Each structure stands twice: as C-alpha cells, then as structure tokens.
Amino acid sequence: MLEVLGREGYAGLTMDAVALAAGVGKATIYRRWSSKAELLLGVLDGSVEDDLPVPDTGDLREDLVALLTTTLELMDGPSGRATRSLLAAVVGDPALAEAYRRGPLASWGRAWATVLDRAVCRGEISAEAAASAAAEVGPAVLTVRWLVTGGPLDADVVTELVDGAMMPLLRAR
Amino acid sequence: MLEVLGREGYAGLTMDAVALAAGVGKATIYRRWSSKAELLLGVLDGSVEDDLPVPDTGDLREDLVALLTTTLELMDGPSGRATRSLLAAVVGDPALAEAYRRGPLASWGRAWATVLDRAVCRGEISAEAAASAAAEVGPAVLTVRWLVTGGPLDADVVTELVDGAMMPLLRAR
C-alpha cells in the first residue's frame, strides 16, 4: 500500500493496484474499505510511526539532534516518496488531514513533548519555553524545505537548526 | 480556474469545469493546454503573486510583521482554499513543484530577500543573519500549521514568531 503510494502517488493509488501489491482479490480490498480515502485512513490509523523511538540521552541538545536526524532520514529514506504522496493527499483533503493528525502526527507530537518535558524536569528549559513556537522551528523548517521550497536538507541543516535556532530560543525563555 | 480549484480541489479540476467557469468551449481550453497539469503550470507561471507588495517601513520588525500578516491573510482569505489545493498538487508532483518554485515561490523569496537586504544596509542585522535559516522560521511555522498540523493561526502567532523567534535570532548573529 505504501509501496504503491510511493511509486504511483495518490492519483495512481487504485484499488486494483493495492489488490495486486497485496496479492489478494479486489473484492477482499473492497470488503474492508469502500473507497481510496477510507483505505488511506485505515493505513493512517495503524501507521508504523506509532512506534516512533523517543531519544533519551539526558541532554536536550542531543535529543533534538536525534529527533531531527530521524525526521531527515524518513524524508530521504525509502518511505520518503510514499510519505510525500500521503502528505499531498492530507493537504488536499480535510478528512485525511484529521486522520493524519490523530495518527502519525500525534505520535510525533508525543515524541517531541516527551523530549521537551524531560528537559523541563532536568531544569534545562522552562515549561513556557517547551510550550512555545520555538519547539516547532526545527521540524517546520525541515518540512517546508522538503515539501515546498526544495531548500537544502543535509546533515548541516540539523546542527544549524538545533544550535543556531532551537537551543538559543528554548534557553532564552 | 482558481475558483474551481478552491471549490473542487485538484481532483475536481477537470477541463470541463474550467471551461464552464471561464464561459468558453472545452476545445478552447484544450487548444491552449493539453492536460490538467499543464493548465496549472500555465496559471502558476502567470500567477497574481508576481506583484507581491514588499513592505518598506524602515524597520525590520515592522516589515516582518507586515510580511507574515500578508501570509496569514492569504491562508485565511478567499483564495486560501485554492492555494491549499494548489499546494497539495505541488507536493505530489515534481513538475508542478518546479513551476511553483519558479513562479509564486520566487516572488515570495524576492520579497523576503528585499526586506532582509534593506535591514542589512541599515545595519540592523548582519549579512550572515539574513542568509541563515532564522529568516525561514516565521513562514515555515505558519505554513506547516496551515497545511499539516492545524496549529493556531491568529494574530498572536505573528508577534510570537517575530518578537519571540525571528528578531532575537536575526540580531544574535
């Protein structure tokens, strides 16, 4: 399913293609999902990103580098094209956007919140800083470069965002 | 065309619907554009955002507030839905992404670069700061909240991003 999405995009994600990739009959696919959007919603609800590993190095800077590096690897990795097609569908369809927020995005949100909460408990940053837009800066810049602007996405960008933007902003409040 | 896109999304943007909205025959549409993607590329190349007004208040903070406020108004305004459908198509199609970067995105880039260059000339910030990721922070957070996460997009977010993130980062380098 994600393989079809990566190869064909959302437009090419037909029930036929999914049945073929899954090695089952089309009737089996239709018994579970009545439409392409529903099929994608089902995938979103049981997404693999539910098991996102949360870094716990004991140091906020290292945890942020780890989270952003994981993000970059997902964008650049074998599932990157599928995730891009999925996000294209999410951007264009409010029902899919809602399912995406409930599923994969909530997992990411929990991972980020855990890392920031631990830094608050260690006294590295204030609770106010953890709840500010500063915490969104790194993932937002990576996401917009990846999906829209095509800006650089190398390893340097992670240290620039962590040391040049997120840590100074999070420590300042 | 943008009206059809706003109402129906990219999937509903058929040559029939565009011909109907334009009050011309379908043959006229097909004479100019051979496919839906080409039609959208044509719209992108002649986009209204080419005439993006560039604020020039003589103060970087005020210029940044003006640019981000314009961005928010576009997201929330009558053309917001059409722009969202357009971006969904851009995210999912490399050829459209390329045309978007050449057209509307380049206009935005020029407006941001002009505002930052003027601040460098006035001695408000360094050239290094103007070229850093700090300059992307505001638009990136707004774009990701709008397209993906559904985070808050009220007037407060503009001052939070300008005074809490962009100005401190741009002044620090």
Side-chain angles (χ1 to χ4, degrees):
Chain A
M1 158 75 204
L2 281 177
E3 183 203 321
V4 177
L5 200 54
R7 203 174 54 231
E8 312 281 349
Y10 188 56
L13 178 75
T14 61
M15 301 303 241
D16 277 346
V18 173
L20 193 70
V24 299
K26 211 160 106 170
T28 309
I29 301 290
Y30 273 106
R31 235 185 334 264
R32 278 201 64 181
W33 301 284
S34 63
S35 72
K36 190 162 87 166
E38 280 217 359
L39 195 151
L40 204 50
L41 287 173
V43 171
L44 282 174
D45 279 337
S47 168
V48 67
E49 293 175 75
D50 280 337
D51 299 304
L52 203 67
V54 181
D56 189 12
T57 62
D59 179 75
L60 177 57
R61 182 198 177 270
E62 299 308 314
D63 284 353
L64 293 179
V65 168
L67 274 177
L68 289 182
T69 302
T70 304
T71 307
L72 261 194
E73 284 165 359
L74 284 175
M75 291 171 173
D76 199 39
S79 66
R81 280 196 60 187
T83 308
R84 169 187 288 274
S85 296
L86 177 66
L87 284 171
V90 160
V91 166
D93 182 329
L96 287 176
E98 180 53 38
Y100 183 73
R101 284 167 200 164
R102 222 173 33 230
L105 194 63
S107 306
W108 277 98
R110 280 191 298 273
W112 280 90
T114 303
V115 158
L116 292 162
D117 284 350
R118 284 178 185 148
V120 172
C121 291
R122 288 191 302 264
E124 279 195 75
I125 59 170
S126 69
E128 190 201 354
S132 75
E136 287 175 59
V137 163
V141 169
L142 291 187
T143 303
V144 168
R145 285 189 181 187
W146 179 51
L147 293 183
V148 183
T149 68
L153 286 175
D154 47 33
D156 290 346
V157 76
V158 170
T159 47
E160 187 187 359
L161 288 171
V162 172
D163 298 325
M166 297 189 74
M167 288 304 293
L169 291 174
L170 289 167
R171 280 206 191 106
R173 293 175 80 119
Chain B
M1 158 76 205
L2 282 177
E3 184 204 319
V4 177
L5 200 54
R7 202 174 54 232
E8 312 282 348
Y10 189 56
L13 179 76
T14 61
M15 301 305 240
D16 277 346
V18 172
L20 192 70
V24 299
K26 211 162 106 170
T28 309
I29 301 289
Y30 271 108
R31 226 172 357 249
R32 279 201 62 184
W33 299 285
S34 62
S35 73
K36 190 162 87 165
E38 281 218 358
L39 194 151
L40 204 50
L41 287 174
V43 172
L44 282 174
D45 279 336
S47 168
V48 67
E49 293 175 76
D50 280 338
D51 299 303
L52 202 66
V54 182
D56 189 12
T57 62
D59 180 75
L60 178 58
R61 182 199 176 269
E62 298 308 315
D63 284 353
L64 293 178
V65 168
L67 275 176
L68 289 182
T69 302
T70 303
T71 307
L72 261 195
E73 284 165 359
L74 284 175
M75 291 170 174
D76 199 39
S79 66
R81 280 196 59 188
T83 307
R84 169 188 288 273
S85 296
L86 177 67
L87 283 170
V90 160
V91 167
D93 181 331
L96 287 176
E98 180 53 38
Y100 183 73
R101 284 167 200 164
R102 222 171 34 228
L105 195 63
S107 305
W108 277 98
R110 280 191 299 273
W112 280 89
T114 303
V115 158
L116 292 162
D117 286 350
R118 284 178 185 149
V120 172
C121 290
R122 287 191 303 264
E124 278 196 74
I125 59 170
S126 70
E128 190 201 354
S132 74
E136 287 174 60
V137 163
V141 169
L142 291 188
T143 303
V144 168
R145 285 189 182 187
W146 179 51
L147 292 182
V148 183
T149 68
L153 285 174
D154 48 33
D156 290 346
V157 75
V158 170
T159 47
E160 186 187 359
L161 288 171
V162 172
D163 297 327
M166 296 189 75
M167 288 304 293
L169 292 174
L170 289 168
R171 279 205 192 108
R173 294 176 82 120

